[in-house]
Amino acid sequence: EPEVTQTPSHQVTQMGQEVILRCVPISNHLYFYWYRQILGQKVEFLVSFYNNEISEKSEIFDDQFSVERPDGSNFTLKIRSTKLEDSAMYFCASSETKFPGGSGNTIYFGEGSWLTVV
Amino acid sequence: AQRVTQPEKLLSVFKGAPVELKCNYSYSGSPELFWYVQYSRQRLQLLLRHISRESIKGFTADLNKGETSFHLKKPFAQEEDSAMYYCALSQYSGAGSYQLTFGKGTKLSVIP
């Protein structure tokens, strides 16, 4: 079964450094997402991406964050000038369908990238 | 505004006992609801969705619009069911996209 893959699985970075988290969505999917889960808290939506632009972003997704699809397969999340509170599991996800409804309306998640900011 | 509420942070049951993980939602449109499961340090996995009316790993969930609930049930808990369970609501966010709003999750612990 196709899967969303993410790298690295775990990254430790110093406060103030830039981090790039990488994702390879499922190949025939057109919609891409990043979610975040701070340890012990719920999963939170960060951003959705379609047709090479951001479709929607949450309040969390401020100017510190950016996303990019640099080529036909990768989808990246860049975090500039990391802060301690950015420590979290970051999940990439992808989906096939454009509209809600129907059996294809499902987001598939990657295994996540643990980011630890020290 | 849409909201998903899972009132129990932790639920402990004995192996073989029935399980019910509660989920209530508030949403102005027609809801689409899911249950996701997250085993220890693994990815979120779709467990089931209400439109499919399916049973996965013995779990079922029925959408009750009158009570705005989507509780997850299993008649006989197994040790391997121990995990975090998240109820989620799908909302159309415009521009041809949608996103999931998650509840805070319930940790299910099945005692041998």
Side-chain angles (χ1 to χ4, degrees):
Chain A
E1 184 176 326
E3 293 181 339
V4 176
T5 57
Q6 290 184 241
T7 54
S9 57
H10 191 191
Q11 182 161 352
V12 180
T13 190
Q14 284 195 324
M15 191 167 53
Q17 295 297 304
E18 178 181 283
V19 164
I20 297 177
L21 305 178
R22 292 182 168 81
C23 169
V24 179
I26 294 173
S27 61
N28 64 330
H29 286 186
L30 301 176
Y31 296 83
F32 315 118
Y33 313 83
W34 283 100
Y35 284 78
R36 180 181 81 176
Q37 185 179 30
I38 295 171
L39 189 64
Q41 299 186 24
K42 70 175 180 178
V43 178
E44 301 172 294
F45 169 75
L46 291 178
V47 65
S48 61
F49 190 88
Y50 169 72
N51 198 26
N52 284 319
E53 60 183 22
I54 291 173
S55 300
E56 187 168 358
K57 58 184 180 180
S58 70
E59 293 176 352
I60 304 168
F61 194 89
D62 58 22
D63 292 342
Q64 184 193 5
F65 295 89
S66 62
V67 288
E68 192 178 33
R69 189 157 162 81
D71 53 44
S73 60
N74 290 286
F75 178 53
T76 62
L77 174 69
K78 182 187 289 185
I79 309 173
R80 287 180 284 274
S81 189
T82 50
K83 306 188 286 279
L84 295 177
E85 53 265 37
D86 295 328
S87 296
M89 174 77 98
Y90 289 82
F91 290 103
C92 176
S94 68
S95 65
E96 181 180 2
T97 57
K98 179 177 181 178
F99 294 107
S103 61
N105 188 29
T106 302
I107 289 176
Y108 292 88
F109 287 86
E111 288 192 324
S113 295
W114 276 104
L115 175 63
T116 302
V117 182
V118 297
Chain B
Q2 63 286 336
R3 188 168 63 244
V4 177
T5 304
Q6 293 180 251
E8 301 142 327
K9 289 183 69 173
L10 173 65
L11 181 65
S12 296
V13 300
F14 284 102
K15 179 182 173 181
V19 175
E20 183 178 53
L21 300 171
K22 291 185 168 56
C23 173
N24 290 91
Y25 66 90
S26 62
Y27 183 54
S28 57
S30 182
E32 294 197 63
L33 288 148
F34 305 81
W35 277 99
Y36 279 81
V37 60
Q38 186 180 30
Y39 300 101
S40 180
R41 298 223 170 190
Q42 293 187 25
R43 74 181 72 210
L44 281 162
Q45 302 174 40
L46 176 65
L47 184 61
L48 51 81
R49 71 200 99 183
H50 90 270
I51 58 172
S52 298
R53 301 186 65 82
E54 57 200 343
S55 174
I56 304 294
K57 300 183 179 181
F59 285 97
T60 59
D62 290 320
L63 179 63
N64 186 323
K65 291 186 179 181
E67 296 182 358
T68 59
S69 68
F70 188 56
H71 302 329
L72 182 68
K73 299 177 183 179
K74 184 171 182 177
F76 307 105
Q78 303 298 315
E79 290 179 65
E80 55 265 31
D81 296 330
S82 295
M84 283 292 294
Y85 290 82
Y86 293 93
C87 183
L89 181 150
S90 174
Q91 64 196 78
Y92 181 61
S93 56
S97 184
Y98 71 97
Q99 60 174 277
L100 290 177
T101 297
F102 287 87
K104 291 187 176 182
T106 298
K107 183 175 182 179
L108 175 64
S109 177
V110 180
I111 305 164

